[in-house]
Amino acid sequence: MSNVWGSALKISIFGESHGEGIGVVLGGLPSGEELDLDFIAREMKRRAPGRGPLATPRREEDEVEILSGVFRGKTTGAPLCGFIRNKNARSGDYAPNLLRPGHADLTAHLKYHGFADFRGGGHFSGRLTAPLVFAGSIAKMILLRRGVTVGAHIRKIGNIYDRPFDPLNEEAGLLRELAALELPLLDPAAGLKMTEAILQAKERGDSLGGVVECCCLGLPAGLGSPFFDSMESLLAHMMFAIPAVKGVEFGGGFALAALCGSEARDELYAENGRIKTLANHNGGLNGGLTNGMPLFFSVAVKPTASIALPQQTVNLETMSEAVLKIEGRHDPCIVPRIVPAVEAGAALCLLDRLLFEGKLT
Amino acid sequence: MSNVWGSALKISIFGESHGEGIGVVLGGLPSGEELDLDFIAREMKRRAPGRGPLATPRREEDEVEILSGVFRGKTTGAPLCGFIRNKNARSGDYAPNLLRPGHADLTAHLKYHGFADFRGGGHFSGRLTAPLVFAGSIAKMILLRRGVTVGAHIRKIGNIYDRPFDPLNEEAGLLRELAALELPLLDPAAGLKMTEAILQAKERGDSLGGVVECCCLGLPAGLGSPFFDSMESLLAHMMFAIPAVKGVEFGGGFALAALCGSEARDELYAENGRIKTLANHNGGLNGGLTNGMPLFFSVAVKPTASIALPQQTVNLETMSEAVLKIEGRHDPCIVPRIVPAVEAGAALCLLDRLLFEGKLT
Amino acid sequence: MSNVWGSALKISIFGESHGEGIGVVLGGLPSGEELDLDFIAREMKRRAPGRGPLATPRREEDEVEILSGVFRGKTTGAPLCGFIRNKNARSGDYAPNLLRPGHADLTAHLKYHGFADFRGGGHFSGRLTAPLVFAGSIAKMILLRRGVTVGAHIRKIGNIYDRPFDPLNEEAGLLRELAALELPLLDPAAGLKMTEAILQAKERGDSLGGVVECCCLGLPAGLGSPFFDSMESLLAHMMFAIPAVKGVEFGGGFALAALCGSEARDELYAENGRIKTLANHNGGLNGGLTNGMPLFFSVAVKPTASIALPQQTVNLETMSEAVLKIEGRHDPCIVPRIVPAVEAGAALCLLDRLLFEGKLT
Amino acid sequence: MSNVWGSALKISIFGESHGEGIGVVLGGLPSGEELDLDFIAREMKRRAPGRGPLATPRREEDEVEILSGVFRGKTTGAPLCGFIRNKNARSGDYAPNLLRPGHADLTAHLKYHGFADFRGGGHFSGRLTAPLVFAGSIAKMILLRRGVTVGAHIRKIGNIYDRPFDPLNEEAGLLRELAALELPLLDPAAGLKMTEAILQAKERGDSLGGVVECCCLGLPAGLGSPFFDSMESLLAHMMFAIPAVKGVEFGGGFALAALCGSEARDELYAENGRIKTLANHNGGLNGGLTNGMPLFFSVAVKPTASIALPQQTVNLETMSEAVLKIEGRHDPCIVPRIVPAVEAGAALCLLDRLLFEGKLT
């Protein structure tokens, strides 16, 4: 596979951080879907750099040109290509021979035998999440029209926590509102503390990681497949495609490992002809399939590897040790910008599965 | 996809817990690989039920008949089918209309419109890990001949911990020795406490979950692809195919979310012409590619949903609430039996990738 | 891919001519489909060897054991595995070192580095069409219930022709009746001449090829995709998987190359709210999509390579030239037995596409 | 699949005839391949319209902008996107409601529920072969460096024949030279007659079809897979993706159906340690695998459906019959322009397979 993903929806990502641009081809979209360009622009803005004191000063408008697949404002059903031309990239910021620890500089060099575009991480840059968010915004729009809502918030940054989603009664309206917030949080009070922690890290030349929690509502029960295409497999596959993600857990996740079966059970009851669970430790999934309860999962984001503090590294040309001081413009914490990427990945995954199973009505 | 997985290696799983049997077709294997039937039998035994006081009394020999793809004791390169005929299944143990909470009974019923084979979970049964372990044992064998070792241990059961793998200097010999242990642990002292905890849970009619940690050594650097086929994506996809797995994390995983960039960094040094990392928070992976350091990850296993304690459920026929008391033979803790499944999944994933990238020498 | 085919339906074929047996795993079938075992048996019989004077004396019952995916006589939706255990195979008939011209003996030897199972062609044997016909019989059954009919006849053997399908008004009933005939022909008079020609070839120790024509009725318009998944691409892909097929053409096919545009056009008219074509040179396909007219295509089958006449060959061990006289039991003409394989391949292809596009109602 | 093709190489095609432009994303290319831009431009020119009296007067330069995957003139190994911006498109030439017989107007309308971009055939236009030829030119370049040559010629137009390739001793140099010819022919004398026939057809407002023959030299023996990924399956899949192709045959193809086994056999001999065939009726393929002899096949191209003569059609809006007189600029014969598309498709297919089997050295 490599650059293509999906069973019914085919997502091909391309581009480099400091090349001509970045883009995505989306094959298999339903036809006749009106493109809400404002909605797309808002989603792109959520991911865009350069907003507020928390972010990298690299400003990019990330304007997407739609090259195909849309006619008279609606999807045609033919492949839709979105392209973002790069501007404002300063290649001089990067010293190619000093490998940045925690980045793909070394592994890309080895995989591609020295021919990788190393400028700004090239094809491995977090910037590649921009076409993902673009594609995801289309998927979210299509899902919303069918009553499927995807929303995410910052569950924690460093050691400062937002309150978790309600695993039983989360509301679609609330999920949608999160997208309008500068910091997508359920508890606004957490925002100030998080901002402060990020600013402190920035001042120290350091960075912070965090956890993003995502919730999906309105899905039909029975979505997914046993074994290799469990919804967990598909969603995790997509989440781990996002740079900096190092963990994914569904429902109670790792915390379930410390519980007894009697504590972790989701007993059943019937209500208005539907069967529901009293708890939701399984995150809305049994046997890899949706069970009709809210589907939720969390994603661990490592602290940005690009920190201003000096780091020990190796000069690739001389193979001698060296000290690297990254001077470029970098986020002290990318967790807020990962939130729309998580939503985008989830939306693409759900839309693909609904299309594949013939359940997108 | 559903029942098929892989890019170069094609793994098709089939079968039901209480039907004729379970099996797997493996396409794309290299030819000329001698099958070490003892090795395969040992791996199957590690997963098999009915060993010791910790396990379900359902004894099955899980004897695999090889139906194709082997000639004169060696792989031919044509698809290899392994089949395990079911014996000793007591369908009477299951009451089809009383949905088992935490199982796929409800979701399978909905997905397949009432036609699923519900006996013992049918195709959703944990028993389907037997063909996975069979396929994985062949993959492990092929990898071992190329110096690639995969090993896993119980990182914890309930709240009792084994010590973790050494992220920098783990030894292949140690990984291989784990497979010979009744309880695969790095610290034998943890075994007694775990056994005791499991027996106590069993006595209470309850169950325990845990965490399995897996380590892969000897991989070439640069394996994997950016974005959709990151090694994290591929390995997590496979891990979440294993029933009861609810979380996967690489390297520091969720703990990284609480660290600063300065604490979570993997600085670099050169040694004998190879570039290594001083720490290994990234679990041997950067940008989705192996970096030559030990690759390791952890898998969260929820406590067995089949507990002897009475549980509130719904009668599918009458849609009325009912109390379910599961009488069948069930493990109070399946974590030890998940260990070979995790190794099998990892080995299949690595072999697929090595084959796909033309790196299986 | 190799041994797996399909987008929504996943077909994995395995087995060898003289090994334990041959089989197929079908993933992605709809649930609740009653298996008409008589229908399946009739289809298997159409392909089976050893019927009448035209066929090889190797008699095999080709009894399929269903190992999974069926419960109480109906498909469950989980993967269905069918297995045919080999009987009556006489390995002594084959001299491994004398390569059979026109067979895969040499290419399989090279591809698999000398480890291929060479007995009777191993995995490359025409016998592998038996699991294809089994899988196809299930697909045909499912399609028939939705009003989609697939039928094929012998268009010619050697230089003796049957009359072609009516490209505009072929009838589903006629297509179904073909399956009951010993020699599936539209013009029964052609049968005697064909039989005579085959018997003459047999007497000479020679063999004959031919052409099979296939017609598909009842398909919705708009099935298929532009470019890489045109219906022509998908159907031809499947047809060329059948051993001995060397050509595939749709509608007028190669004959169109000699016509002017004004002769080869399919002008349009409207009838009862549907748009139809006055001719059908395009075989029911425009732009790779079905247009609602009968879909038809032809398949060229080369004469059986196993002939009794002495042939010049090479001894693989000594690399010296030798004369091969094939003594085994072989058909002088496999065209009649290819007919159900063509139908099976077409039915699987159509079912896959209908499922993939969410059009199997 | 739809818009994506390939196992190791992932080819995603997008764009419309009269939209922003057309393009292709190529994932999985080897890194470090220098792009010979002149070679690419020459290949593009072979397919481009508007050359000479035989072609449509629509002139397009088909200049490809490379948007990603190339750094310092060489492939990086990351996805390569090539984009051709449309110029000189006159949408007014097309009357959307009058369906063009033999085109995808109707089927695209039905498939996409009325939302397809109908201008000039939209995504179904033959213009989409431009990105295919671009992608193929890169594949050809990479193959040539490994000694694999792909070349094609016009085997016939209408009823005027060029001589066929030599199935046993075709030369790579000759294949390469064909690309430099205005009309790629082995027998230059045929060119005059073909030109005359095309001009006559043009004058009559009519069109001609033909046959393209393609030959591939330098392939390793044993390439391909048994059954579903036979080289015939893969190549035919790709050929039938090219608009206007209605037939594909390998080696003797349909003519084999009329021969006896004794006439159609490829007896074997050894020469310098390699095993060769005395004839090549199988087109270099046995059991779906290359046998080391020249691989060759033919492709039937129907006469252009866009003819100037009046045609009976249906008005989609009123569903009443109408007469269509196509006024736009159209080729009386697209066979010469299909030649580079056939080569491109074959080259992509071979490169994919060499990469997938780890045989691209």
Side-chain angles (χ1 to χ4, degrees):
Chain A
M1 286 213 170
S2 70
N3 68 311
V4 182
W5 194 85
S7 294
L9 205 63
K10 297 283 174 185
I11 312 165
S12 309
I13 277 196
F14 63 90
E16 284 87 21
S17 180
H18 291 61
E20 294 303 314
I22 50 182
V24 62
V25 181
L26 265 177
L29 282 175
S31 63
E33 293 292 329
E34 192 156 359
L35 284 202
D36 181 339
L37 297 176
D38 288 339
F39 181 83
I40 295 173
R42 280 197 304 273
E43 290 290 309
M44 292 306 288
K45 216 171 185 177
R46 292 174 69 201
R47 194 216 71 90
R51 301 188 313 149
L54 303 182
T56 154
R58 175 178 175 180
R59 282 203 71 84
E60 276 186 359
E61 290 172 40
D62 283 351
E63 216 173 312
V64 188
E65 187 189 7
I66 294 176
L67 300 179
S68 67
V70 176
F71 181 48
R72 297 176 173 167
K74 290 182 177 158
T75 57
T76 62
L80 188 160
C81 179
F83 182 62
I84 303 164
R85 206 168 278 274
N86 287 332
K87 313 168 190 169
N88 191 16
R90 300 191 309 198
S91 299
D93 286 349
Y94 300 94
N97 287 327
L98 291 192
L99 299 167
R100 293 171 301 159
H103 280 277
D105 292 0
L106 174 61
T107 54
H109 175 79
L110 293 171
K111 180 175 184 66
Y112 296 121
H113 312 291
F115 295 104
D117 179 350
F118 52 78
R119 298 168 299 166
H123 184 57
F124 291 80
S125 165
R127 189 155 162 60
L128 269 286
T129 53
L132 185 74
V133 167
F134 166 70
S137 71
I138 296 174
K140 279 179 74 174
M141 193 188 303
I142 294 172
L143 291 174
L144 265 174
R145 288 174 188 155
R146 275 81 177 176
V148 177
T149 311
V150 174
H153 72 117
I154 301 170
R155 179 72 178 88
K156 73 171 200 169
I157 283 180
N159 288 305
I160 301 156
Y161 285 80
D162 188 19
R163 70 168 172 78
F165 282 125
D166 179 338
L168 294 171
N169 298 303
E170 200 49 79
E171 284 171 32
L174 186 78
L175 293 189
R176 283 194 297 273
E177 284 165 25
L178 283 168
L181 303 175
E182 173 92 349
L183 283 181
L185 293 166
L186 299 173
D187 173 11
L192 280 176
K193 291 186 218 158
M194 286 180 182
T195 304
E196 197 179 3
I198 296 172
L199 289 175
Q200 283 173 1
K202 188 182 182 183
E203 217 161 304
R204 292 196 312 270
D206 212 337
S207 66
L208 289 178
V211 171
V212 173
E213 191 190 24
C214 183
C215 182
C216 311
L217 299 175
L219 292 167
L223 196 72
S225 290
F227 244 78
F228 298 126
D229 278 356
S230 74
M231 287 309 304
E232 288 99 329
S233 286
L234 296 167
L235 284 162
H237 193 132
M238 187 55 110
M239 291 305 130
F240 280 116
I242 301 171
V245 169
K246 297 303 273 188
V248 174
E249 61 181 9
F250 293 83
F254 278 89
L256 290 179
L259 298 185
C260 293
S262 58
E263 297 164 319
R265 63 186 165 182
D266 294 338
E267 292 179 295
L268 303 169
Y269 69 103
E271 191 179 70
N272 302 327
R274 276 187 52 205
I275 296 170
K276 296 187 170 181
T277 60
L278 285 167
N280 192 2
H281 295 99
N282 284 290
L285 295 165
N286 293 120
L289 314 181
T290 54
N291 65 12
M293 299 299 293
L295 188 167
F296 64 98
F297 61 91
S298 290
V299 167
V301 181
K302 70 172 183 175
T304 324
S306 290
I307 55 178
L309 294 169
Q311 298 187 73
Q312 178 181 330
T313 186
V314 172
N315 182 310
L316 195 52
E317 206 171 1
T318 61
M319 284 299 277
S320 58
E321 280 164 34
V323 170
L324 173 70
K325 213 168 159 331
I326 296 178
E327 304 281 1
R329 305 149 299 176
H330 296 286
D331 288 334
C333 180
I334 52 162
V335 178
R337 292 175 60 201
I338 293 273
V339 171
V342 165
E343 291 180 9
L348 288 164
C349 194
L350 295 174
L351 179 59
D352 175 55
R353 197 50 24 185
L354 287 164
L355 285 166
F356 185 71
E357 300 191 8
K359 289 174 179 162
L360 193 85
T361 44
Chain B
M1 286 215 172
S2 70
N3 68 311
V4 182
W5 196 85
S7 294
L9 205 63
K10 296 285 174 186
I11 311 166
S12 310
I13 276 197
F14 62 91
E16 283 88 21
S17 180
H18 292 60
E20 294 303 314
I22 50 182
V24 62
V25 180
L26 265 177
L29 282 176
S31 63
E33 292 292 329
E34 191 157 359
L35 282 202
D36 181 339
L37 297 176
D38 288 340
F39 181 84
I40 295 173
R42 279 198 304 272
E43 289 291 307
M44 292 305 289
K45 216 171 184 176
R46 291 174 69 201
R47 195 217 69 92
R51 300 188 312 148
L54 304 182
T56 154
R58 175 177 174 181
R59 283 203 71 84
E60 277 187 358
E61 290 172 40
D62 283 351
E63 215 173 312
V64 188
E65 187 188 7
I66 294 176
L67 299 179
S68 69
V70 176
F71 181 49
R72 296 177 176 167
K74 289 181 177 158
T75 57
T76 62
L80 188 160
C81 179
F83 182 62
I84 303 166
R85 205 167 279 277
N86 286 332
K87 312 170 191 169
N88 193 16
R90 300 191 310 199
S91 300
D93 286 349
Y94 300 92
N97 288 326
L98 291 192
L99 298 167
R100 294 171 301 159
H103 280 277
D105 292 359
L106 174 61
T107 53
H109 175 80
L110 293 170
K111 179 176 185 66
Y112 297 120
H113 311 290
F115 296 104
D117 179 349
F118 52 77
R119 299 169 299 166
H123 185 57
F124 291 80
S125 165
R127 188 153 163 62
L128 268 287
T129 54
L132 185 74
V133 167
F134 166 70
S137 70
I138 295 173
K140 280 178 73 173
M141 192 188 305
I142 294 172
L143 291 174
L144 265 174
R145 288 174 188 153
R146 275 81 175 177
V148 176
T149 310
V150 174
H153 72 116
I154 302 170
R155 179 72 177 87
K156 75 170 198 169
I157 282 180
N159 288 306
I160 301 156
Y161 285 80
D162 188 21
R163 69 168 173 78
F165 281 125
D166 179 339
L168 293 171
N169 298 301
E170 201 49 80
E171 285 172 30
L174 186 76
L175 293 188
R176 284 195 296 273
E177 284 165 26
L178 282 167
L181 302 175
E182 174 92 346
L183 284 181
L185 293 166
L186 299 173
D187 172 9
L192 280 174
K193 290 186 218 158
M194 287 181 182
T195 304
E196 198 180 1
I198 297 173
L199 289 174
Q200 282 173 0
K202 187 181 182 183
E203 217 161 305
R204 292 196 312 270
D206 212 337
S207 66
L208 289 178
V211 171
V212 173
E213 190 190 25
C214 182
C215 183
C216 310
L217 298 175
L219 291 168
L223 195 71
S225 291
F227 244 77
F228 298 126
D229 279 356
S230 74
M231 286 311 305
E232 287 100 329
S233 286
L234 295 167
L235 284 162
H237 193 131
M238 187 54 110
M239 290 305 129
F240 279 117
I242 301 172
V245 168
K246 297 303 275 188
V248 174
E249 61 181 10
F250 292 83
F254 279 89
L256 290 180
L259 300 185
C260 293
S262 59
E263 296 164 321
R265 62 185 165 182
D266 295 337
E267 293 178 295
L268 302 169
Y269 69 102
E271 191 179 71
N272 302 325
R274 277 187 52 204
I275 296 170
K276 296 186 170 180
T277 60
L278 284 167
N280 192 1
H281 295 99
N282 284 290
L285 296 163
N286 294 120
L289 314 181
T290 55
N291 65 11
M293 298 298 293
L295 187 168
F296 64 98
F297 61 91
S298 290
V299 167
V301 181
K302 71 173 183 175
T304 324
S306 290
I307 55 176
L309 294 169
Q311 297 188 76
Q312 179 181 330
T313 187
V314 172
N315 182 312
L316 195 52
E317 207 171 359
T318 62
M319 283 300 277
S320 59
E321 279 165 34
V323 171
L324 173 69
K325 212 168 158 333
I326 295 178
E327 304 281 1
R329 303 150 299 177
H330 296 285
D331 288 333
C333 179
I334 52 161
V335 179
R337 291 176 59 200
I338 293 271
V339 171
V342 166
E343 291 179 9
L348 288 164
C349 194
L350 296 173
L351 180 59
D352 176 53
R353 199 49 25 188
L354 287 164
L355 285 166
F356 185 70
E357 299 190 9
K359 290 174 178 161
L360 193 84
T361 45
Chain C
M1 285 215 173
S2 71
N3 68 311
V4 182
W5 195 85
S7 294
L9 205 62
K10 296 284 173 185
I11 312 166
S12 309
I13 276 197
F14 62 90
E16 283 88 21
S17 180
H18 291 62
E20 294 302 315
I22 50 182
V24 62
V25 181
L26 266 177
L29 283 175
S31 63
E33 292 292 329
E34 191 157 358
L35 283 202
D36 181 340
L37 297 176
D38 288 340
F39 181 84
I40 295 173
R42 280 197 303 274
E43 290 291 307
M44 293 305 289
K45 215 171 185 177
R46 292 174 69 202
R47 196 217 68 91
R51 301 187 312 150
L54 303 182
T56 153
R58 175 177 174 180
R59 283 204 71 84
E60 276 186 1
E61 291 172 39
D62 284 350
E63 214 174 313
V64 188
E65 188 189 7
I66 294 176
L67 299 179
S68 68
V70 177
F71 181 48
R72 296 175 174 168
K74 290 181 178 159
T75 57
T76 62
L80 188 160
C81 179
F83 182 63
I84 303 165
R85 205 167 278 277
N86 287 332
K87 314 168 189 169
N88 192 16
R90 299 192 309 199
S91 299
D93 286 349
Y94 300 94
N97 287 328
L98 291 192
L99 299 166
R100 294 171 301 159
H103 280 276
D105 292 0
L106 173 62
T107 54
H109 175 80
L110 293 170
K111 179 176 183 67
Y112 297 121
H113 312 290
F115 296 104
D117 180 350
F118 52 78
R119 298 169 300 166
H123 185 58
F124 290 79
S125 165
R127 189 156 161 60
L128 269 287
T129 54
L132 185 74
V133 168
F134 166 71
S137 70
I138 295 174
K140 279 179 74 173
M141 194 187 304
I142 293 172
L143 291 174
L144 265 174
R145 289 174 187 153
R146 275 82 177 176
V148 176
T149 310
V150 174
H153 72 117
I154 301 170
R155 179 73 177 87
K156 73 171 199 169
I157 282 180
N159 287 306
I160 302 155
Y161 285 79
D162 188 20
R163 70 167 173 78
F165 281 125
D166 178 340
L168 293 171
N169 298 302
E170 200 49 79
E171 285 172 31
L174 185 78
L175 292 189
R176 283 195 296 274
E177 284 164 26
L178 282 168
L181 304 174
E182 173 92 348
L183 283 182
L185 294 165
L186 299 173
D187 172 9
L192 279 174
K193 291 187 218 156
M194 286 181 182
T195 303
E196 197 179 1
I198 296 173
L199 288 175
Q200 282 173 2
K202 188 182 182 183
E203 217 162 302
R204 294 195 312 270
D206 212 337
S207 66
L208 290 178
V211 170
V212 174
E213 190 190 26
C214 183
C215 182
C216 310
L217 299 174
L219 291 168
L223 195 71
S225 290
F227 245 78
F228 298 125
D229 278 356
S230 74
M231 286 311 304
E232 287 99 329
S233 286
L234 295 167
L235 284 162
H237 192 132
M238 186 54 111
M239 290 306 129
F240 280 117
I242 301 172
V245 169
K246 298 302 275 188
V248 175
E249 61 181 9
F250 293 82
F254 278 88
L256 291 180
L259 300 184
C260 294
S262 59
E263 297 164 320
R265 61 186 167 182
D266 295 337
E267 292 178 297
L268 302 169
Y269 68 103
E271 191 179 72
N272 302 325
R274 278 186 53 203
I275 297 170
K276 296 186 170 181
T277 60
L278 285 167
N280 192 2
H281 295 99
N282 285 289
L285 296 164
N286 293 120
L289 315 182
T290 54
N291 65 10
M293 299 299 293
L295 188 167
F296 63 98
F297 60 91
S298 290
V299 167
V301 181
K302 70 173 184 176
T304 324
S306 291
I307 55 177
L309 294 169
Q311 296 187 76
Q312 179 181 330
T313 187
V314 173
N315 181 311
L316 195 53
E317 206 171 2
T318 61
M319 284 300 277
S320 58
E321 281 166 33
V323 171
L324 174 69
K325 212 168 158 333
I326 294 179
E327 305 279 2
R329 304 149 300 177
H330 296 286
D331 287 333
C333 179
I334 52 161
V335 179
R337 292 176 59 201
I338 293 271
V339 171
V342 165
E343 291 179 8
L348 288 165
C349 194
L350 295 174
L351 180 59
D352 176 54
R353 198 50 24 185
L354 287 164
L355 285 166
F356 185 71
E357 299 190 10
K359 289 173 179 162
L360 192 85
T361 44
Chain D
M1 285 216 172
S2 70
N3 69 311
V4 181
W5 195 86
S7 294
L9 206 62
K10 296 284 173 186
I11 311 166
S12 309
I13 276 196
F14 63 91
E16 283 86 22
S17 180
H18 292 61
E20 294 302 314
I22 50 181
V24 62
V25 181
L26 265 177
L29 283 175
S31 64
E33 292 291 329
E34 192 157 358
L35 283 202
D36 181 340
L37 297 176
D38 288 339
F39 181 84
I40 295 174
R42 279 198 303 273
E43 290 290 308
M44 293 305 289
K45 217 172 186 176
R46 293 174 67 201
R47 194 217 70 91
R51 301 187 312 149
L54 303 181
T56 154
R58 175 176 174 178
R59 284 204 70 86
E60 276 187 359
E61 290 172 40
D62 284 350
E63 215 174 312
V64 189
E65 187 188 8
I66 294 176
L67 299 179
S68 68
V70 177
F71 181 48
R72 297 176 173 168
K74 290 182 178 158
T75 58
T76 61
L80 188 160
C81 179
F83 182 62
I84 302 164
R85 206 168 278 275
N86 287 333
K87 314 169 190 168
N88 191 17
R90 300 192 308 200
S91 299
D93 286 350
Y94 300 93
N97 288 327
L98 291 191
L99 299 167
R100 294 172 300 159
H103 280 277
D105 292 0
L106 174 62
T107 54
H109 175 80
L110 293 171
K111 180 177 184 67
Y112 298 120
H113 311 290
F115 295 105
D117 179 350
F118 52 77
R119 299 168 299 165
H123 184 57
F124 291 80
S125 165
R127 188 155 163 60
L128 269 287
T129 53
L132 185 74
V133 168
F134 167 70
S137 71
I138 295 174
K140 278 178 76 173
M141 192 188 303
I142 294 172
L143 291 174
L144 266 174
R145 289 174 187 153
R146 275 81 177 177
V148 177
T149 311
V150 175
H153 72 118
I154 302 170
R155 178 75 177 84
K156 72 171 200 169
I157 282 180
N159 288 306
I160 301 156
Y161 286 78
D162 187 21
R163 70 167 172 78
F165 281 126
D166 179 338
L168 294 171
N169 299 304
E170 200 49 80
E171 283 172 33
L174 185 77
L175 293 189
R176 283 194 297 274
E177 284 164 26
L178 283 167
L181 304 174
E182 173 93 347
L183 283 181
L185 293 166
L186 299 174
D187 172 10
L192 280 176
K193 291 186 219 159
M194 287 180 183
T195 303
E196 196 180 1
I198 296 173
L199 289 175
Q200 282 174 1
K202 189 181 181 183
E203 218 161 303
R204 293 195 311 271
D206 212 337
S207 65
L208 289 178
V211 171
V212 174
E213 190 190 26
C214 183
C215 182
C216 311
L217 299 175
L219 290 167
L223 195 72
S225 290
F227 244 78
F228 298 125
D229 278 357
S230 74
M231 286 311 303
E232 287 99 330
S233 286
L234 296 167
L235 285 162
H237 192 133
M238 186 56 110
M239 291 306 128
F240 280 116
I242 300 172
V245 169
K246 297 303 274 189
V248 174
E249 61 180 10
F250 293 83
F254 279 89
L256 290 180
L259 299 185
C260 292
S262 59
E263 297 164 320
R265 62 186 166 181
D266 294 338
E267 292 179 296
L268 302 169
Y269 69 103
E271 191 178 72
N272 303 327
R274 277 187 53 205
I275 297 170
K276 296 187 171 181
T277 60
L278 285 167
N280 192 2
H281 295 99
N282 284 289
L285 295 164
N286 293 119
L289 314 182
T290 55
N291 65 11
M293 298 299 293
L295 188 167
F296 64 98
F297 61 92
S298 290
V299 167
V301 182
K302 69 172 184 176
T304 324
S306 291
I307 55 177
L309 294 169
Q311 297 188 75
Q312 178 180 329
T313 187
V314 173
N315 182 310
L316 196 52
E317 207 171 359
T318 61
M319 284 300 277
S320 58
E321 279 163 35
V323 170
L324 173 69
K325 214 170 157 333
I326 295 179
E327 305 280 2
R329 306 149 300 178
H330 296 285
D331 288 333
C333 179
I334 52 162
V335 179
R337 291 176 60 202
I338 293 272
V339 172
V342 166
E343 291 179 10
L348 288 164
C349 195
L350 296 174
L351 179 59
D352 176 53
R353 198 48 27 183
L354 288 164
L355 284 166
F356 185 70
E357 299 190 10
K359 288 173 180 162
L360 193 85
T361 44

